[in-house]
């Protein structure tokens, strides 16, 4: 019985790592499609999103089956519950990459980004891919110290997101309202992608230590933009 439980938990952990890897790859391709107005990459992200949602469903089913059939307690219960919460965060990371790709597709063959903000999004994309890879690494290694360092990349993302608004608020902005809205949404999507990666790290810390680190004030309990039906 215990052997079977351990095997199921290992399988669940492997699927979570796979999900994180898919989300990171999706954001990398979505960023390239955004910067290069590459329709094929945008379509690839959109077409392959079902892989993440299918894995999300499968992970939740496995986790709830463990709860129902194994009745875990203490550390085992913590592992299963943390797994369910991590599934939700990685699923959102994949959805945010999808939103980026859909904006790139909607504006094709035109570029979404004016030249003066290209550098911001190139760097935000780099950080998003890096923090996504770090989240996958943390899920595989269960290293709480590495998980805690995810906040550093998130802070860099926040700085870029804040600076982006100085460009949008400049009185010399000449690209119109539609471009400003696209850029505002895109900046939010990248920021939230990093936030969810940090949440994955926090869950891993709780899973390993039994103590949930203090929640950063910037992470909202309800994210009104995480469900954006037209993107």
């Amino acid at each position: 019985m215990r052997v079977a439980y351990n095997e199921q938990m290992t399988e669940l952990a492997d699927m979570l790592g796979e999900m994180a890897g898919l989300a990171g790859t999706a954001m990398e391709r979505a960023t390239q499609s955004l910067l290069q107005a590459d329709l094929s990459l945008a379509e690839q992200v959109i077409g392959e999103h079902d892989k993440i949602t299918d894995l999300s469903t499968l992970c939740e089913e496995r986790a709830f089956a463990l709860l129902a059939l194994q009745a875990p307690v203490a550390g085992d219960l913590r592992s299963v519950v943390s797994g369910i919460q991590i599934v939700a965060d990685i699923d959102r990371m994949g959805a945010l990459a999808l939103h980026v790709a859909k904006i790139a597709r909607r504006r094709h063959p035109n570029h979404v980004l004016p030249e003066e903000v290209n550098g911001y999004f190139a760097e935000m994309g780099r950080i998003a891919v890096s923090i996504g890879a770090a989240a996958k690494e943390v899920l595989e290694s269960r290293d709480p110290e590495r998980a805690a360092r995810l906040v550093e990349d998130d802070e860099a993302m926040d700085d870029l997101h804040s600076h982006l608004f100085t460009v949008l608020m400049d009185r010399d902005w000449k690209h119109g309202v539609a471009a400003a809205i696209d850029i505002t949404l895109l900046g939010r999507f990248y920021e939230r992608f990093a936030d969810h990666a940090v949440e994955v790290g926090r869950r891993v810390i709780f899973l390993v230590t039994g103590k949930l680190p203090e929640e950063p004030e910037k992470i909202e309990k309800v994210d009104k933009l995480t469900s954006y039906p037209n993107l």
Side-chain angles (χ1 to χ4, degrees), residues 139-153:
L139 284 168
E140 293 170 345
S141 68
R142 303 293 176 90
D143 181 351
E145 293 183 2
R146 180 68 185 92
R149 293 201 300 274
L150 289 173
V151 175
E152 297 171 6
D153 282 339

Side-chain angles (χ1 to χ4, degrees), residues 106-155:
R106 190 174 71 227
R107 297 301 184 195
H108 188 269
N110 298 319
H111 284 262
V112 177
L113 303 175
E115 186 176 346
E116 56 259 50
V117 298
N118 266 339
Y120 285 92
F121 283 97
E123 182 62 10
M124 291 172 84
R126 185 196 66 77
I127 292 172
V129 171
S130 175
I131 201 170
K136 181 178 187 296
E137 176 191 334
V138 163
L139 284 168
E140 293 170 345
S141 68
R142 303 293 176 90
D143 181 351
E145 293 183 2
R146 180 68 185 92
R149 293 201 300 274
L150 289 173
V151 175
E152 297 171 6
D153 282 339
D154 186 42
E155 289 173 350

Side-chain angles (χ1 to χ4, degrees), residues 16-207:
L16 289 174
E18 184 179 355
M19 270 188 74
L22 289 172
T25 297
M27 184 54 92
E28 182 175 20
R29 290 172 177 165
T31 300
Q32 290 173 359
S33 73
L34 182 68
L35 295 172
Q36 302 167 14
D38 189 322
L39 181 61
S40 64
L41 279 174
E43 294 286 9
Q44 187 175 5
V45 173
I46 295 164
E48 293 183 357
H49 182 68
D50 284 347
K51 292 181 181 179
I52 297 176
T53 56
D54 289 347
L55 266 176
S56 176
T57 300
L58 184 57
C59 285
E60 286 185 341
E61 289 175 351
R62 296 289 174 85
F64 284 120
L66 283 166
L67 286 175
L69 300 176
Q70 302 290 348
V73 296
D76 290 341
L77 178 60
R78 190 166 71 236
S79 295
V80 177
V81 172
S82 295
I84 294 170
Q85 294 168 324
I86 288 168
V87 168
D89 281 304
I90 301 175
D91 187 66
R92 287 309 312 153
M93 291 167 70
L96 290 161
L98 176 68
H99 293 343
V100 174
K102 285 189 173 182
I103 289 181
R105 181 177 69 174
R106 190 174 71 227
R107 297 301 184 195
H108 188 269
N110 298 319
H111 284 262
V112 177
L113 303 175
E115 186 176 346
E116 56 259 50
V117 298
N118 266 339
Y120 285 92
F121 283 97
E123 182 62 10
M124 291 172 84
R126 185 196 66 77
I127 292 172
V129 171
S130 175
I131 201 170
K136 181 178 187 296
E137 176 191 334
V138 163
L139 284 168
E140 293 170 345
S141 68
R142 303 293 176 90
D143 181 351
E145 293 183 2
R146 180 68 185 92
R149 293 201 300 274
L150 289 173
V151 175
E152 297 171 6
D153 282 339
D154 186 42
E155 289 173 350
M157 181 74 83
D158 292 340
D159 287 343
L160 283 166
H161 186 239
S162 296
H163 290 154
L164 189 61
F165 279 101
T166 65
V167 177
L168 292 175
M169 298 300 291
D170 193 306
R171 67 178 60 188
D172 292 329
W173 177 261
K174 58 182 182 295
H175 302 288
V177 174
I181 291 171
D182 281 344
I183 291 165
T184 300
L185 287 171
L186 287 164
R188 178 64 167 166
F189 296 152
Y190 281 94
E191 183 205 24
R192 288 300 295 162
F193 186 94
D195 286 348
H196 283 291
V198 170
E199 281 295 285
V200 170
R202 292 179 72 249
R203 299 299 177 191
V204 169
I205 293 171
F206 174 68
L207 188 158

